[in-house]
Amino acid sequence: MTRTVYVNGEYLPEGEAKVSIFDRGFLFADAVYEVTSVLDGKLIDFDGHAVRLERSLKELDMASPCSKEELLEIHRKLVELNGIEEGLVYLQVTRGSDGDRDFVFPSADTPPSLVLFTQNKPGLADSPAAQKGAKVISIEDIRWGRRDIKTVQLLYPSMGKMMAKKAGADDAWLVEDGYVTEGTSNNAYYVKNGKIVTRPLSNDILHGITRAAVLRLAAEAQMEIEERLFTIKEAKEADEAFTTSASAFVMPVVEIDGVQLGDGTPGPIAKRLREIYLEESRKKAV
Ligand code: PDD
């Protein structure tokens, strides 16, 4: 089936959608993005994603392409047109193009480019991967210093995933100065003696929308949480571990650098948090 996508005000068949070759998203990765999940045909945590998008744009001095209400309408229309029950909506805003390549930003009145498309993922909530749990490897974090801004500079995270695949694992956790920052496309946690440990928010990691929701739900469920730096060694000695992201919700981690955690199956806290998160998100979906 041909998808209908959104490009700068138009809904088009995917093969007809076009962006300039001079677009700064293409030439300079001068662009930010959001990924919002869809369950039961509804958007999960839309508000959080819209607020973070505004922040990313502001941090990069980039113009906002439209209001939050218009964004919600575009998301909903694409979900409807493409008949998405479970899946994702990808959104990207770039600094646009003034028709040439120049390191200097184009004038402030250059319109940003706005592109959205859907990804149909039946079975996203009931994923076999989550039942099995993920194996991760650790690699050095050599990304730039503003990981709190959700830019499309994803070459190194892509390489990290490839390194993981090559090593027979599913994903990679990034390590800087001896401490885990986050996963290639998710936030990272371990659990020891019932306590959830995760890195505190800073410019070093993306401020995950799923992270915020999961930590709030964990606190409400009287789970103990410690936000502090942690090493791969600590994580390997943990009872269990997991990651959070809009595309995989709460994903149990069962192996780190070849070391099995617990009995090698998803841990009870990760499983419980996944259940609570899915339940609460479905209730609040828009
Ligand atoms: N990635 N950290 C990084 C580096 C990420 O790329 C992501 C999300 C997260 C989790 O953020 P959230 O809970 O808001 O999805 C953390 C998206 C899903 C992606 O790139 O596809």
Side-chain angles (χ1 to χ4, degrees):
M1 200 185 93
T2 300
R3 265 179 296 195
T4 300
V5 303
Y6 176 95
V7 186
N8 296 326
E10 289 189 283
Y11 293 88
L12 296 167
E14 60 185 42
E16 288 173 30
K18 290 189 174 57
V19 176
S20 166
I21 61 156
F22 298 112
D23 192 280
R24 290 184 59 91
F26 181 60
L27 296 179
F28 294 101
D30 189 356
V32 298
Y33 76 109
E34 283 296 331
V35 176
T36 304
S37 52
V38 178
L39 292 175
D40 312 320
K42 288 184 178 171
L43 299 159
I44 303 300
D45 281 332
F46 175 80
D47 258 346
H49 290 285
V51 167
R52 185 173 62 191
L53 174 67
E54 276 310 308
R55 179 179 181 275
S56 294
L57 291 169
K58 194 161 161 271
E59 290 297 313
L60 296 177
D61 237 340
M62 215 184 273
S64 200
C66 60
S67 70
K68 194 169 124 185
E69 291 71 29
E70 285 166 315
L71 271 189
L72 177 58
E73 200 187 308
I74 301 167
H75 276 75
R76 281 179 161 159
K77 190 158 172 188
L78 280 184
V79 167
E80 195 196 316
L81 287 172
N82 293 295
I84 308 294
E85 275 302 303
E86 288 198 4
L88 305 169
V89 181
Y90 177 87
L91 168 156
Q92 181 168 328
V93 184
T94 85
R95 204 182 302 274
S97 148
D98 61 1
D100 207 348
R101 179 176 183 268
D102 191 341
F103 281 82
V104 174
F105 289 177
S107 64
D109 59 0
T110 304
S113 296
L114 174 62
V115 170
L116 286 94
F117 57 82
T118 55
Q119 293 183 295
N120 192 25
K121 305 227 178 238
L124 187 65
D126 205 10
S127 116
Q131 278 157 30
K132 210 167 128 225
K135 295 177 180 177
V136 304
I137 59 164
S138 60
I139 61 172
E140 199 190 339
D141 194 342
I142 57 166
R143 298 172 301 162
W144 79 324
R146 289 303 306 274
R147 302 155 195 158
D148 56 311
I149 308 173
K150 199 163 173 59
T151 73
V152 302
Q153 302 172 67
L154 297 176
L155 180 55
Y156 189 65
S158 269
M159 291 169 72
K161 282 257 199 240
M162 296 312 291
M163 289 182 233
K165 298 256 174 253
K166 207 170 163 190
D170 304 296
D171 202 0
W173 280 13
L174 307 170
V175 178
E176 184 175 56
D177 301 329
Y179 297 102
V180 175
T181 50
E182 58 189 335
T184 56
S185 59
N186 43 56
N187 291 115
Y189 313 72
Y190 79 77
V191 183
K192 183 79 178 175
N193 300 326
K195 189 195 286 172
I196 301 166
V197 179
T198 195
R199 189 177 177 108
L201 296 182
S202 69
N203 291 353
D204 300 334
I205 62 169
L206 187 74
H207 301 190
I209 303 306
T210 321
R211 177 189 187 278
V214 166
L215 288 184
R216 180 175 48 76
L217 293 168
E220 281 170 20
Q222 319 293 330
M223 292 178 186
E224 209 183 329
I225 301 160
E226 202 176 346
E227 293 185 59
R228 63 166 173 81
L229 300 188
F230 66 93
T231 64
I232 275 286
K233 183 171 178 287
E234 277 175 75
K236 280 187 203 166
E237 290 164 0
D239 301 325
E240 54 173 297
F242 61 92
T243 60
T244 60
S245 68
S247 52
F249 311 119
V250 178
M251 174 61 69
V253 168
V254 295
E255 193 183 292
I256 302 176
D257 285 337
V259 176
Q260 179 182 301
L261 304 186
D263 65 1
T265 63
I269 291 190
K271 282 205 295 204
R272 183 74 195 118
L273 285 173
R274 185 178 174 91
E275 272 170 25
I276 309 178
Y277 176 74
L278 286 171
E279 198 181 309
E280 289 297 311
S281 308
R282 283 183 199 276
K283 276 191 212 155
K284 291 191 184 142
V286 296

